[in-house]
Amino acid sequence: SKAALFDAENKVKITFNDVAGLDEAKEEVEEIVQFLKNPSKYTNLGGKIPKGVLLVGPPGTGKTLLAKAVAGEAGVPFFSLSGSDFVEMFVGVGAARVRDLFKQAKEKGRAIIFIDEIDAIGRSRGKGQMPGSNDERENTLNSLLVEMDGFATDSGVIILAATNRPDVLDNALLRPGRFDRQISVDKPDIIGREQIFKVHLMPIKLAEGVKPKELAAQTPGFAGAEIANVCNEAALIAARKEKNAVEMEDFQAAIDRVIGGLEKKNKIISPDE
Ligand code: ATP
């Protein structure tokens, strides 16, 4: 069978309960859930439902999770693709993939289309691209613009896109009727981190004395993805030591390991900057 052109999930189980912290962002996307549940309620009075919403924030802060939760809460299918998949793609493939994605989403009637790392396709022309490498990227961007313009605002398809570089996006993407709304998805503060720890500690067998509040205090600068990672690592570290519950010291070891990983990653990235 033919390779999947993008991911599609018909029954999304993720809801707002899975998304910790991010209260303001959740409040803003709740409006999108309402649009998807009952589009005509909003268009009856002549209003236009937004087509595109940008989720802006650093990596690992829960943008994908939030987009999925919108689909889960509204009970609509979730289609996703990543902008980075289009880099070095053969001519014509990216544009065809975008057309196919929109066609399938529209066939469902109501849907969320999620485009991760939209800056990889939506970078403004000539900014930070290697010469000659951006032909298909531009084709892909054009087909995305054509598709976005080509469906009615009451169609029940809403496109969410994630980026941590809204400043490099081509202005064409940000025009009214395209991605004309932005929601910020920031790194959590200490209270947000505590809430995220609580979500990810849920499936873990905890020894007495493991306190989400203390873990939050020990992880300044961590995004949700790193917190999820800490919880998982801690469980693996404790298991390796034949423990039957995960202790605070295992979390501390896991935090050190995740910090070590982040430092290594920064070292690899820094020579280019
Ligand atoms: P990227 O931009 O790197 O794709 P992202 O912002 O889309 O990152 P996600 O992929 O949604 O981040 O997050 C990765 C994982 O981290 C999630 O699947 C979840 O387990 C955890 N996570 C991130 N943020 C949160 C949050 N606010 N609440 C609960 N879990 C979170």
Side-chain angles (χ1 to χ4, degrees), residues 18-20 22 58-65 116 196 199-200 224-225 228:
D18 299 298
V19 186
L22 300 181
T61 47
K63 297 180 291 297
T64 307
L65 191 67
D116 203 2
I196 297 171
V199 166
H200 290 280

Side-chain angles (χ1 to χ4, degrees), residues 16 21-35 50 53-56 66 70 158 160 180-186:
F16 287 152
L22 300 181
D23 293 337
E24 274 174 47
K26 273 202 256 182
E27 219 168 90
E28 291 188 62
V29 295
E30 169 61 30
E31 202 184 4
I32 300 169
V33 173
Q34 296 308 320
F35 292 147
V53 178
L54 272 186
L55 304 177
V56 177
L66 191 63
V70 170
I158 293 179
L160 300 179
D180 50 11
R181 286 192 181 201
Q182 291 198 10
I183 296 177
S184 35
V185 182
D186 294 317

Side-chain angles (χ1 to χ4, degrees), residues 174-250:
L174 307 175
R175 294 219 181 98
R178 294 171 179 167
F179 293 99
D180 50 11
R181 286 192 181 201
Q182 291 198 10
I183 296 177
S184 35
V185 182
D186 294 317
K187 278 198 184 181
D189 61 8
I190 189 164
I191 293 167
R193 293 198 299 276
E194 183 181 348
Q195 290 167 335
I196 297 171
F197 266 110
K198 282 181 177 158
V199 166
H200 290 280
L201 290 176
M202 223 124 55
I204 293 177
K205 275 198 185 157
L206 296 178
E208 250 171 83
V210 175
K211 299 209 172 67
K213 204 175 193 150
E214 268 173 43
L215 292 169
Q218 289 178 26
T219 48
F222 278 41
E226 284 128 30
I227 292 174
N229 204 217
V230 164
C231 294
N232 192 57
E233 282 288 332
L236 297 180
I237 289 168
R240 197 171 307 127
K241 293 183 174 158
E242 321 288 341
K243 293 182 184 175
N244 45 30
V246 188
E247 296 177 305
M248 201 60 183
E249 61 169 29
D250 304 313

